[in-house]
Amino acid sequence: DIVMTQSPDSLAVSLGERATINCKSSQTVLHSSNNKKYLAWYQQKPGQPPKLLIYWASTRESGVPDRFSGSGSGTDFTLTISSLQAEDVAVYYCQQYYSSPYSFGQGTKLEIK
Amino acid sequence: QQQLQQSGPGLVKPSETLSLTCAVSGGSINSSSSFWGWIRQPPGKGLGWIGNIYFTGNTYYNSSLKSRATISIDTSKNQFSLKLNSVTAADTAVYYCARLRALFCSDGNCYGVFDIWGQGTMVTVSS
């Protein structure tokens, strides 16, 4: 099974500043068949279900603000919020869909400094 | 826009069976580009995938549940369901249903992301 590990567990950033969350997979999630990285990012606000932000490691879901961006290689990935807004306070999860069982990172709690 | 509406009891006794249903509205559950899944989240913890089902009835499970989970689909009612038997306190969690949007299919396997989620159901296992 692929283990997803996020860092840090929590993060406090000032409004308007950049927030960076990391995610590492225990094995590659880069599929040779289409040269794509099978990595997604989700945002979960308190009392709500997760919301899909990014898939294929860097493709924003429709309607997601462009301050959210994703990048990474076969095993190391980053979610960046370029200018933190108050509504971005949430827990962020990475998830691999390269192989079953699908697995999520433990989550990174993002707060305002 | 499709929506998912969950229903089911919030309290289940130990050793009994947890049963939840997810009704799909705003679109057909028979979509060839969609799978339907269940994910759970223990209190204060992260997300865990339980399994998926396709409209044909093909199912895919997380083996960590040791065959306790059964996902079924009723295309006539546009809904799918989860049963988890022999529950213990460790199964206490918020349970979510979700649509898995297939992004890429190859050699009979499809890969995708959970793009639409139900509201979640808090299920407590307690006597």
Side-chain angles (χ1 to χ4, degrees), chain B:
Chain B
Q1 172 73 315
Q2 282 190 329
Q3 292 186 324
L4 305 182
Q5 181 67 37
Q6 299 178 218
S7 60
L11 181 64
V12 181
K13 289 182 168 55
S15 79
E16 295 192 346
T17 298
L18 177 161
S19 295
L20 297 172
T21 296
C22 185
V24 179
S25 61
S28 174
I29 205 168
N30 289 330
S31 169
S32 60
S33 61
S34 300
F35 290 70
W36 307 96
W38 290 95
I39 299 102
R40 67 181 182 178
Q41 185 171 36
K45 296 189 178 180
L47 300 161
W49 175 68
I50 297 171
N52 298 334
I53 190 166
Y54 195 51
F55 76 92
T56 56
N58 287 1
T59 50
Y60 312 83
Y61 295 108
N62 190 331
S63 59
S64 69
L65 290 166
K66 296 183 172 62
S67 303
R68 294 192 297 126
T70 301
I71 300 174
S72 59
I73 195 164
D74 187 336
T75 55
S76 67
K77 294 183 178 179
N78 228 37
Q79 64 184 36
F80 61 106
S81 300
L82 168 70
K83 290 188 187 299
L84 184 66
N85 60 34
S86 304
V87 297
T88 69
D91 295 310
T92 294
V94 176
Y95 286 75
Y96 294 101
C97 63
R99 183 182 81 170
L100 187 146
R101 185 174 80 222
L103 300 174
F104 177 70
C105 295
S106 173
D107 297 330
N109 296 313
C110 287
Y111 306 85
V113 291
F114 297 105
D115 66 339
I116 300 174
W117 295 65
Q119 79 276 21
T121 301
M122 177 66 210
V123 178
T124 301
V125 178
S126 176
S127 55

